[in-house]
Amino acid sequence: MLSSTRLRLHSMGFSRWLNRTVGFFVFSILDIVDFLLCFTYKTLDFFFESEWKPCYCCPPPEAKPAAAGGSRGGKMIVSERLGEYSKVVSLTRTKIHLDEISDTLYSRPSLLTRLTKLVKCFEKNAVECCDESKKRSSLTKKTLLTVNSTVVEKLQRTPRWSDCHCTFCTSWLSSSNHSLFVNVQQPKDNKAQENVVFIHGFLSSSTFWTETLFPNFSDSAKSNYRFLAVDLLGYGKSPKPNDSLYTLKEHLEMIERSVISQFRLKTFHVVAHSLGCILALALAVKHPGAIKSLTLLAPPYYSVPKGVQATQYVMRRVAPKEVWPPMAFGASVASWYEHVSRTVSLVLCKNHHLLEFLTKLLTRNRMRTYLIEGFLCHTHNASWHTLHNIIFGSGSKVEAYLDHVRDNLDCEVTIFHGGRDELIPVDCSYGVKRKVPRARIHVVPDKDHITIVVGRQKEFARELELIWRRSTTTPQRHSD
């Protein structure tokens, strides 16, 4: 027994060493590839769009005018570094916004650049490129100021050359309504007694709910509840503006305007998955009296040790720069490499119709492609900024959100997590339970980040209905 335990520990230690060793070489190669792709995309952007596009390889500007088109969006007026965030005042769609952007957008040190002098050369060229962009954008600014706001808006809303230009991905451009797309299912008599808002996770869409849960709710639930599944900004059929930084503030404001205000919701239940859990908690903090129940699936909550920079800590937990398991490798590539991930987006997202066709062909049309559609129908600008500004950027905020839910909300809090989730560990949900002791936690064995819903949608629909019924009989404390 003792010898087998030692053998198992030795095997685990060897696997960890092998993973780190292989990872060192793989990610060192990716460092070089991303370095080369930086200049490649600057050249291609200039060729297709007649303007050098700055990227996050440059250090953030501090309290001075700067042009931040392309991946940083809009016309940046002032940027000030504040700890692990940068406060950015930017002009987008003729409006001025004050946003917080995560320092992980800029601070992503690589192993290779620490060992060589490439970083100095890179920074020198990047700054020169940014300076060139400033000169060019100043000329562009003069031109834009001579035309009306409609023209400016059209110019800013035009998809980039590397984005998909199909009718599905650009349908929002033909509408004057800048609200999010909301898929609504309500009773035939339009007399729903309660509302349920569904918020999807990263690289997903409202179809994650509408194709799984909506058809499986009981007739009683369908006659009493109005279901509202939203496509977040940058995903599905919702707007995908290139001048957006996709900050927490902007995501929240779009949900409030497109769901809460548009449908005049006074009270509602919330069901959220993964990244959507952060937005759900932020909504609960802003509208404590409106939340009737809070259901979180695989919430990405990482308890940050004292004295550690929260954004960097969360990034390293979500994206540990490991080649195994595959989910960790994919998360690491998407998080650490701006230009490699843009290339992946260019290959996959721009050709999502072809990939959907091939999937149906290979499976003889037996596989529904709603998950592929949700995974691929977005822009690199949207996914890159949402990943850093929401998941990593909220690292120091989620704990305060949970404290607020514990102390100021009386609604029922329920957590579901797949026992085999390789992307968000189960410890995250147990961490939420420690912060909000009244929360009910359900760990579903043999289920992962997706199959916590997909494949068990009938069972999960019944579990949700039970939560809503219980919350109806629980007294709610409403804020003044």
Side-chain angles (χ1 to χ4, degrees), residues 194 196-197 225 268-272 280-281 284 287-297 402 404-416 432-433 436-442 460 462-478:
E194 298 185 48
V196 186
V197 177
Y225 296 95
F268 52 93
H269 303 268
V270 181
V271 181
L281 290 170
H287 305 274
I291 307 297
K292 299 202 69 174
S293 72
L294 197 58
T295 305
L296 308 176
L297 285 73
L402 292 172
H404 188 91
V405 169
R406 179 193 63 216
D407 299 334
N408 298 287
L409 274 74
D410 283 339
C411 70
E412 182 164 345
V413 180
T414 311
I415 310 163
F416 291 87
V432 174
K433 170 69 174 177
V436 186
R438 74 174 186 276
R440 302 170 186 257
I441 183 169
H442 302 274
F460 186 52
R462 299 297 170 267
E463 291 168 341
L464 287 176
E465 291 178 26
L466 178 61
I467 292 170
W468 301 334
R469 286 198 298 270
R470 281 202 306 259
S471 66
T472 302
T473 59
T474 302
Q476 302 292 314
R477 180 176 62 196
H478 294 267

Side-chain angles (χ1 to χ4, degrees), residues 72-85:
R72 269 182 278 177
K75 299 290 184 294
M76 187 180 292
I77 302 171
V78 177
S79 175
E80 181 182 1
R81 187 67 177 269
L82 296 173
E84 58 194 44
Y85 301 101

